[in-house]
Amino acid sequence: MWNTVKKMVVSLCLLGLLSLALLPGCTPPVSFEYLDISCSVGQGRQYYFEETLALDFSIMPNRGETERNLILSEGDLSRAPIFTWEGRTLHIKPLTGWKKGEHYGISLEGKLPMEDGRIYTVQLIRNFIYGLEGNEFTLDYSSAEDNRLIFIFSKVPGVTSFSGQFSLIPSVEYFCDFLGTEIRILPKSPWQANTLYRWSITGMESEDGYIMKREYSGAFSGPDNLSVPRPLELCPVDKTFGPPYLWRRGSPLDNNLENMEGIGFIFSKPMDPASLRSGISFYPSIKGYFEEAGEDSIIFFPEEEYRLETEYRITISQSVKDSLGLSLFEEAQYYFSSAQRFLELEGLTLDSRTDSLLPGGLLQEHNLIRVDPPGLKVQIAFSRAIPPANRKAALESVSLSGIFPASALSPVLVSAKWEDEGAVLSLLYENLSPSGDGIDNYYQIKIVSGKQGPLSAGGEYLKEDLWYVFRIY
């Protein structure tokens, strides 16, 4: 095909001196034969798209010197060529292969010896773009709109090439949609407010192997956001019949949050849920999880009961951001205690007495009911009713035992009865030793605290163990 290309004839007058060296002093003949060099890339030709570039010499040159003097360039860099000879024709191609759309150049200049010893001064220079004309790979359109970047190219871009040659500063995580010659970039989170982004594409390659020969760049701004987000309200959230859940708006958390109720957070703007999850903390810590409840709201649901009469601190960090990336102006803190209080004993009486024993106190005189055998009725009144499911454990947490002397009989529980809808426990013990003959008999009633003791329907329990000591006659 290259024979159809117009030949450039490098016509150089030969002062070729043939070194005959057969007879001393013999004068070699003078030759006026021209050296013609034809190149498959015509003078002024802009594009070339063949497997090799060919140089055709009218006189056979010295191969080694020809190869040493020929320079092949790719862009601004020299490239090692592969040479193949077919008689007086030299075929040339880059060792690393041609790159479509790339600029190439060859040059052969200077003194060039022939195989027969003659020397010619040559000058051949060609510059061209490898590929077919009209196949340039360019970026034809770009825009930042509707929370996405759009690029439209002259050719279908290479997927892996785009991933490696596209840059965005500041860096963000994004999705890429490849739609023929169009690429759409969608950020995983909205563009940050009040932020200038810069992008660039350089050295990219099309799907069919054409190189983009210029660098493209641009800039765009995230949305303007002059209003910083702020917490508007924290309130209890009842999930008993949800979802949807019952937000008790207008009810403060402190002394109003029921056991296992959620805490709702409402902000002035649509928020970034991930920053809320990482930026809201409790002290003391509470095991639980967050659930989104709209663009401007989130709910924390505990997975354990709130501690009774314990003050909690909620911290909303300044790192919490709205959906456009704007942070809180400052850290916010809130304090609350749950509505639950420790369970209390409103009274503990023996037999028919109306005065209650004091915890740890000593009732000097108490006469056992004179039955056979003598018995003792103990009545315990709680500040909250004990539900049926918790009554067995509550009963087992109450004990009556002799503490002095060792010879005192061990009481036996004869009956137990719950009264006043579970708020009062009546117990009847037998087998007690009355004091006499100079021996005082002391007994102790103990009630265990915590969740293993009496427990109300709301999860309330005694703060500490209670014990009562008395002497009986």
Side-chain angles (χ1 to χ4, degrees), residues 343-364:
L343 186 68
E344 296 180 353
L345 255 62
E346 294 188 341
L348 187 150
T349 58
L350 304 179
D351 292 329
S352 58
R353 297 179 66 96
T354 58
D355 54 329
S356 298
L357 273 66
L358 297 176
L362 181 65
L363 184 63
Q364 294 293 332

Side-chain angles (χ1 to χ4, degrees), residues 23-65:
L23 295 173
C26 179
T27 302
V30 176
S31 172
F32 294 95
E33 184 179 2
Y34 289 100
L35 171 63
D36 295 339
I37 304 177
S38 298
C39 180
S40 56
V41 179
Q43 182 70 34
R45 183 176 178 181
Q46 190 175 4
Y47 291 88
Y48 184 76
F49 193 48
E50 299 293 340
E51 183 179 355
T52 63
L53 182 152
L55 297 181
D56 187 21
F57 297 85
S58 62
I59 302 172
M60 186 66 195
N62 181 290
R63 293 186 177 185
E65 290 299 321

Side-chain angles (χ1 to χ4, degrees), residues 111-365:
K111 302 291 185 179
L112 181 64
M114 303 294 106
E115 276 196 345
D116 60 11
R118 289 176 290 176
I119 298 175
Y120 289 85
T121 300
V122 297
Q123 185 180 44
L124 183 141
I125 299 174
R126 292 289 188 273
N127 293 291
F128 59 92
I129 299 172
Y130 187 79
L132 295 174
E133 187 173 1
N135 279 269
E136 295 85 355
F137 183 36
T138 58
L139 174 62
D140 295 341
Y141 174 82
S142 67
S143 72
E145 57 189 41
D146 298 331
N147 197 42
R148 63 185 177 181
L149 270 175
I150 297 177
F151 299 106
I152 299 178
F153 300 88
S154 61
K155 300 170 70 67
V156 177
V159 174
T160 56
S161 176
F162 177 81
S163 300
Q165 304 306 124
F166 171 76
S167 68
L168 182 63
I169 300 174
S171 177
V172 299
E173 292 185 337
Y174 55 82
F175 300 102
C176 272
D177 287 339
F178 292 85
L179 308 170
T181 59
E182 182 178 340
I183 295 179
R184 296 180 181 179
I185 295 179
L186 296 88
K188 292 184 178 180
S189 299
W191 304 115
Q192 297 290 309
N194 309 324
T195 301
L196 179 66
Y197 292 89
R198 298 184 183 276
W199 61 266
S200 66
I201 303 173
T202 180
M204 189 175 160
E205 189 173 327
S206 68
E207 190 177 63
D208 59 356
Y210 279 82
I211 299 294
M212 181 179 286
K213 288 310 300 171
R214 58 158 290 191
E215 178 179 347
Y216 296 89
S217 61
F220 66 95
S221 295
D224 293 332
N225 188 359
L226 303 178
S227 173
V228 297
R230 56 189 176 87
L232 292 181
E233 183 179 2
L234 277 67
C235 67
V237 177
D238 185 352
K239 68 173 182 177
T240 305
F241 304 105
Y245 307 118
L246 175 62
W247 288 64
R248 297 200 286 128
R249 296 198 62 170
S251 298
L253 291 181
D254 193 33
N255 298 320
N256 200 37
L257 188 66
E258 298 296 335
N259 194 30
M260 299 302 289
E261 267 195 320
I263 300 175
F265 297 81
I266 304 171
F267 292 85
S268 62
K269 304 176 65 179
M271 302 297 290
D272 172 29
S275 73
L276 292 176
R277 287 184 170 87
S278 62
I280 298 176
S281 61
F282 293 82
Y283 182 82
S285 62
I286 310 173
K287 185 179 180 182
Y289 62 92
F290 286 95
E291 186 173 312
E292 295 177 37
E295 291 185 343
D296 61 351
S297 307
I298 198 167
I299 308 172
F300 173 80
F301 286 116
E303 294 180 308
E304 60 186 12
E305 296 179 351
Y306 298 110
R307 301 181 190 180
L308 301 184
E309 298 184 23
T310 297
E311 184 178 68
Y312 286 90
R313 181 181 72 235
I314 298 176
T315 300
I316 304 178
S317 169
Q318 193 177 359
S319 64
V320 166
K321 300 178 180 179
D322 65 18
S323 60
L324 298 177
L326 202 61
S327 301
L328 265 63
F329 177 72
E330 61 184 359
E331 178 182 278
Q333 292 187 342
Y334 301 85
Y335 296 86
F336 74 93
S337 296
S338 69
Q340 283 69 38
R341 292 293 178 263
F342 284 111
L343 186 68
E344 296 180 353
L345 255 62
E346 294 188 341
L348 187 150
T349 58
L350 304 179
D351 292 329
S352 58
R353 297 179 66 96
T354 58
D355 54 329
S356 298
L357 273 66
L358 297 176
L362 181 65
L363 184 63
Q364 294 293 332
E365 296 181 358

Side-chain angles (χ1 to χ4, degrees), residues 80-95:
I82 296 176
F83 297 111
T84 305
W85 288 90
E86 292 181 355
R88 294 194 305 273
T89 301
L90 173 60
H91 294 273
I92 307 160
K93 64 180 179 180
L95 179 63

